[in-house]
Amino acid sequence: MTEKKMIVKPSTLPGFMELLPAEQIVFNHMRDTIRSVYERYGFIPLDTPVIEKSDVLLVKSGGETEKQVYRFMKGDSDLAMRFDLTVPLARYVAQHMADLTFPFRRYQIGKVYRGEKNQKGRFREFYQCDIDIIGRNHLDVVNDAEIPAIINDVFTQLGLPDFIIRINNRKLMNGLFQHFGLAGRPEILKAIDKLEKIGPDKTRKELMEAGIQEDSIDAIFRFIQLKGSNDEILDGLKQAAIDNELYQTGVEELTRVTRLIRAFGVPEAHFALDLTIVRGLDYYTGTVYETLLKNYPEIGSICSGGRYDNLAEHYTKEKLPGVGISIGLTRLFYQLNEAGLLGEMKEQVLTQLLVVPIGDTLETCAKVARRFRDANVITEVFLEDTKIAKKMNYANKQGIPWVVIIGDEEVQDGLVALKDLETGDQERMSWEEALKKITGS
Amino acid sequence: MTEKKMIVKPSTLPGFMELLPAEQIVFNHMRDTIRSVYERYGFIPLDTPVIEKSDVLLVKSGGETEKQVYRFMKGDSDLAMRFDLTVPLARYVAQHMADLTFPFRRYQIGKVYRGEKNQKGRFREFYQCDIDIIGRNHLDVVNDAEIPAIINDVFTQLGLPDFIIRINNRKLMNGLFQHFGLAGRPEILKAIDKLEKIGPDKTRKELMEAGIQEDSIDAIFRFIQLKGSNDEILDGLKQAAIDNELYQTGVEELTRVTRLIRAFGVPEAHFALDLTIVRGLDYYTGTVYETLLKNYPEIGSICSGGRYDNLAEHYTKEKLPGVGISIGLTRLFYQLNEAGLLGEMKEQVLTQLLVVPIGDTLETCAKVARRFRDANVITEVFLEDTKIAKKMNYANKQGIPWVVIIGDEEVQDGLVALKDLETGDQERMSWEEALKKITGS
């Protein structure tokens, strides 16, 4: 061709994660693990569009969120890319209500978009992995007890180091504030939310600056710094002379939820009642959760959520209470990778077997590959005509554990030479014997 | 609250598919099946960003494609949403070349965006499921023989009715045209491409109107209408007195590929050499594929692709030949659903077991659920306090096959009542017996 091609430097946008193959395999392993746990609890998959009508998607938002949204015109249409999976869920449930069975248990794993400030560890395109249980008019509080079991299964199966699910109840907290004459003071929750980051002294100072009396602050601190086992904390909450209905409801809910969390199989070491957990100011109305890696508190919560009263008030007059959690997978993967915590997950490989022809044995190699693939062994055939050393090098680079070598002799004898790349052992055997060795059956 | 909430009618954009749960489960089953076949052949997953820099993504495109692209500004950045998975692959391979092992076998399953004209069966957001094998400087033609085996496995595993992979070779075709003095006449390929739709008479007419001599048209038709078994067609091609190097190379490639397709396990009934297959005018340079459902030709090709010479000429000076295919899953799902061809896939359910408490037996129910989930049985517990009939109705609506009922008596005796919703049979037994019955082990 005479046409001179323009060459553009290939690059991606800042804040858009793109992984190399080995990392991508680990990432997918994490995503698959989360999905399989969500499914094991009977959650149904949804897959809503990434782009929605701006007037529908942005009905509730404002301020910081709205500024971050990827919004644009296409023809006459005002479009916006989803910035979370909760608003699309609300829209979905309201839109398809007549076709859904309640309680509606759905999971969604998908990418969302936020034009965040560009900085290390912040992503503009990232995966959220959400589950929610939605009731129509009513959803029993016992649903709140199943959520920690799901969180526990996810992080146990991911093999993450010591994690702890911290649980609080917003009714209990709001009742407490009512009791102390401090209702409707969001700055109190805001200050408590910062306790872990800034410490008790600075939190006290913030509360005093907000005009809270010192004896009220002392009273609040006696509660939020309750220490002990989960049962000891529940006892402490019950024994406190708080004559407030909301508080009492909160304590009852927390007691009921705690008992059932145990029945659902969460070990005591993996969940802790903790009155410093706030999780946002407005949305949650009952149980709230966050999840920390005990030895890496700087990573922050890796899975959070809670109970809300009304999912879709902007889309329907029906009341839809629910409870849910979200895992920000892109950020979690990034953080674990940075902290060196991907551990055994890094040993994930996909291809188990490379079939290597020597000489003109490709037809037999193809037939061998067919046999192994039919037995669900992930199999590649090295199809390029090159030196044997290069072929073996390919297997090594890709971390493929087994190689089957087929030369003219093997074709004649109906055998293969099976090589274990870890030990270096090589042995001639029948196809079926090789299959048994590789599958360990 | 005194604030009056604005209620917006929940709706999605035209051309953006959104499925109800039962359909979504079928869709995911199809997506998972495709993925698992792709992985079984050793393809590595990629997950490139949905949004890229416009100057990078649109370096090659123009005309119709460019008009369809979702392109917009965010701050100072000129952004575009991917319209296929091939351009991002080219960018990826060029960008990360030093970190990849060649031949590079990758699959990607993801959504792409095109502002198509709004009409039934056309989607603006749709899944593509692609595989490509990329060589560095060289990629042996035998790679082309593995692709039909993958297509065959995908559609066999999806349980689709009679499908046929039609295969041609562009070298052969171009050599033929050279031989007849018709090289560099794209209108010939264009006309042949329409043969199936408009029939031979209209195709002849188009060729005559393009100024092709009648004897040349006759000669071309003798080739493209070759009928018979794959071997008969190969024989016909070899016996034809076409003294052209490109043609000879094409025939050799097709012969070699055919022999190996068989070795890779594709039954003769599932692939057919067919000289009417063109698949686009510029991009492909060797083997080309398309896949039809024999009794539903109106659906068109459900999986197409071919061999190309240079994947990433706009991003690197390195020559990257490859071969690949794409399945447009959103459209395929839509078409199969419309044609009533989803068949047994529609019977997919996720939840296998509903645990139903009668009275205050929730703790035991939670423990039973734990036991079953640990054994990988997808299990829900009915957590709402309502009538037993409503609970059973939930199981029926969701198509859940098994129900375990636990009342006070079952708690006392350490048993469960297992009900098979298909037969209506109900029997008391131990947890482990119920587990055996459900898992069929």
Side-chain angles (χ1 to χ4, degrees), chain B residues 195-211:
Chain B
L195 177 63
E196 188 143 42
K197 228 185 227 165
I198 65 175
D201 293 347
K202 284 190 184 161
T203 304
R204 274 177 181 278
K205 213 177 139 214
E206 274 205 17
L207 288 169
M208 279 167 74
E209 282 166 8

Tab-separated table of all heavy atoms in Angstrom, chain B residues 195-211:
chain	number	residue	atom	x	y	z
B	195	LEU	N	-25.724	-12.627	-2.492
B	195	LEU	CA	-26.303	-13.751	-3.238
B	195	LEU	C	-27.429	-14.446	-2.475
B	195	LEU	O	-28.521	-14.669	-3.004
B	195	LEU	CB	-25.190	-14.757	-3.585
B	195	LEU	CG	-25.621	-16.025	-4.310
B	195	LEU	CD1	-26.224	-15.694	-5.670
B	195	LEU	CD2	-24.435	-16.971	-4.490
B	196	GLU	N	-27.150	-14.766	-1.208
B	196	GLU	CA	-28.138	-15.538	-0.452
B	196	GLU	C	-29.433	-14.751	-0.277
B	196	GLU	O	-30.519	-15.320	-0.290
B	196	GLU	CB	-27.559	-15.903	0.920
B	196	GLU	CG	-28.437	-16.854	1.682
B	196	GLU	CD	-27.595	-17.835	2.467
B	196	GLU	OE1	-26.590	-17.386	3.063
B	196	GLU	OE2	-27.899	-19.033	2.478
B	197	LYS	N	-29.289	-13.446	-0.106
B	197	LYS	CA	-30.460	-12.611	0.144
B	197	LYS	C	-31.267	-12.377	-1.127
B	197	LYS	O	-32.491	-12.472	-1.125
B	197	LYS	CB	-29.998	-11.264	0.718
B	197	LYS	CG	-30.784	-10.821	1.957
B	197	LYS	CD	-30.357	-9.433	2.374
B	197	LYS	CE	-30.092	-9.341	3.867
B	197	LYS	NZ	-29.362	-8.124	4.212
B	198	ILE	N	-30.590	-12.031	-2.215
B	198	ILE	CA	-31.324	-11.576	-3.407
B	198	ILE	C	-31.408	-12.646	-4.500
B	198	ILE	O	-32.130	-12.467	-5.480
B	198	ILE	CB	-30.702	-10.277	-3.985
B	198	ILE	CG1	-29.268	-10.512	-4.505
B	198	ILE	CG2	-30.701	-9.164	-2.946
B	198	ILE	CD1	-28.672	-9.291	-5.198
B	199	GLY	N	-30.673	-13.765	-4.321
B	199	GLY	CA	-30.771	-14.848	-5.315
B	199	GLY	C	-29.791	-14.648	-6.467
B	199	GLY	O	-29.297	-13.552	-6.694
B	200	PRO	N	-29.545	-15.753	-7.230
B	200	PRO	CA	-28.524	-15.697	-8.289
B	200	PRO	C	-28.897	-14.752	-9.435
B	200	PRO	O	-28.029	-14.076	-9.974
B	200	PRO	CB	-28.427	-17.150	-8.769
B	200	PRO	CG	-29.612	-17.853	-8.217
B	200	PRO	CD	-30.085	-17.097	-7.036
B	201	ASP	N	-30.180	-14.676	-9.809
B	201	ASP	CA	-30.542	-13.845	-10.961
B	201	ASP	C	-30.219	-12.373	-10.704
B	201	ASP	O	-29.601	-11.703	-11.531
B	201	ASP	CB	-32.034	-14.007	-11.282
B	201	ASP	CG	-32.340	-15.421	-11.769
B	201	ASP	OD1	-31.364	-16.140	-12.086
B	201	ASP	OD2	-33.524	-15.792	-11.795
B	202	LYS	N	-30.638	-11.880	-9.534
B	202	LYS	CA	-30.371	-10.477	-9.225
B	202	LYS	C	-28.875	-10.219	-9.050
B	202	LYS	O	-28.378	-9.145	-9.365
B	202	LYS	CB	-31.131	-10.057	-7.959
B	202	LYS	CG	-32.617	-9.830	-8.217
B	202	LYS	CD	-33.319	-9.182	-7.030
B	202	LYS	CE	-34.817	-9.081	-7.305
B	202	LYS	NZ	-35.587	-8.895	-6.075
B	203	THR	N	-28.174	-11.233	-8.497
B	203	THR	CA	-26.736	-11.068	-8.336
B	203	THR	C	-26.054	-10.941	-9.696
B	203	THR	O	-25.221	-10.065	-9.922
B	203	THR	CB	-26.153	-12.283	-7.568
B	203	THR	OG1	-26.840	-12.421	-6.337
B	203	THR	CG2	-24.662	-12.103	-7.306
B	204	ARG	N	-26.456	-11.799	-10.632
B	204	ARG	CA	-25.941	-11.698	-11.997
B	204	ARG	C	-26.206	-10.327	-12.591
B	204	ARG	O	-25.339	-9.714	-13.213
B	204	ARG	CB	-26.638	-12.737	-12.891
B	204	ARG	CG	-25.989	-14.101	-12.857
B	204	ARG	CD	-26.792	-15.093	-13.704
B	204	ARG	NE	-26.190	-16.415	-13.648
B	204	ARG	CZ	-25.149	-16.792	-14.390
B	204	ARG	NH1	-24.612	-15.947	-15.261
B	204	ARG	NH2	-24.628	-17.988	-14.254
B	205	LYS	N	-27.422	-9.863	-12.361
B	205	LYS	CA	-27.804	-8.561	-12.915
B	205	LYS	C	-26.909	-7.466	-12.351
B	205	LYS	O	-26.403	-6.609	-13.083
B	205	LYS	CB	-29.274	-8.289	-12.577
B	205	LYS	CG	-29.995	-7.487	-13.645
B	205	LYS	CD	-31.474	-7.296	-13.331
B	205	LYS	CE	-31.925	-5.887	-13.680
B	205	LYS	NZ	-32.956	-5.364	-12.790
B	206	GLU	N	-26.688	-7.527	-11.034
B	206	GLU	CA	-25.816	-6.514	-10.409
B	206	GLU	C	-24.422	-6.548	-11.001
B	206	GLU	O	-23.813	-5.505	-11.241
B	206	GLU	CB	-25.724	-6.749	-8.889
B	206	GLU	CG	-26.838	-6.081	-8.126
B	206	GLU	CD	-26.470	-5.778	-6.678
B	206	GLU	OE1	-25.268	-5.787	-6.339
B	206	GLU	OE2	-27.399	-5.525	-5.896
B	207	LEU	N	-23.919	-7.769	-11.229
B	207	LEU	CA	-22.567	-7.902	-11.769
B	207	LEU	C	-22.517	-7.359	-13.209
B	207	LEU	O	-21.544	-6.690	-13.593
B	207	LEU	CB	-22.122	-9.371	-11.725
B	207	LEU	CG	-21.808	-9.908	-10.317
B	207	LEU	CD1	-21.636	-11.417	-10.322
B	207	LEU	CD2	-20.555	-9.239	-9.747
B	208	MET	N	-23.574	-7.619	-13.991
B	208	MET	CA	-23.601	-7.106	-15.359
B	208	MET	C	-23.657	-5.589	-15.359
B	208	MET	O	-22.963	-4.922	-16.139
B	208	MET	CB	-24.780	-7.695	-16.126
B	208	MET	CG	-24.480	-9.112	-16.642
B	208	MET	SD	-25.957	-9.966	-17.226
B	208	MET	CE	-26.249	-9.107	-18.776
B	209	GLU	N	-24.476	-5.043	-14.441
B	209	GLU	CA	-24.568	-3.591	-14.346
B	209	GLU	C	-23.234	-2.958	-13.939
B	209	GLU	O	-22.958	-1.813	-14.251
B	209	GLU	CB	-25.661	-3.189	-13.352
B	209	GLU	CG	-27.066	-3.306	-13.955
B	209	GLU	CD	-28.174	-3.241	-12.897
B	209	GLU	OE1	-27.840	-2.949	-11.725
B	209	GLU	OE2	-29.331	-3.484	-13.251
B	210	ALA	N	-22.426	-3.763	-13.224
B	210	ALA	CA	-21.106	-3.268	-12.826
B	210	ALA	C	-20.101	-3.410	-13.968
B	210	ALA	O	-18.912	-3.114	-13.798
B	210	ALA	CB	-20.608	-4.028	-11.595
B	211	GLY	N	-20.593	-3.885	-15.113
B	211	GLY	CA	-19.734	-3.947	-16.290
B	211	GLY	C	-18.904	-5.216	-16.408
B	211	GLY	O	-17.946	-5.260	-17.171
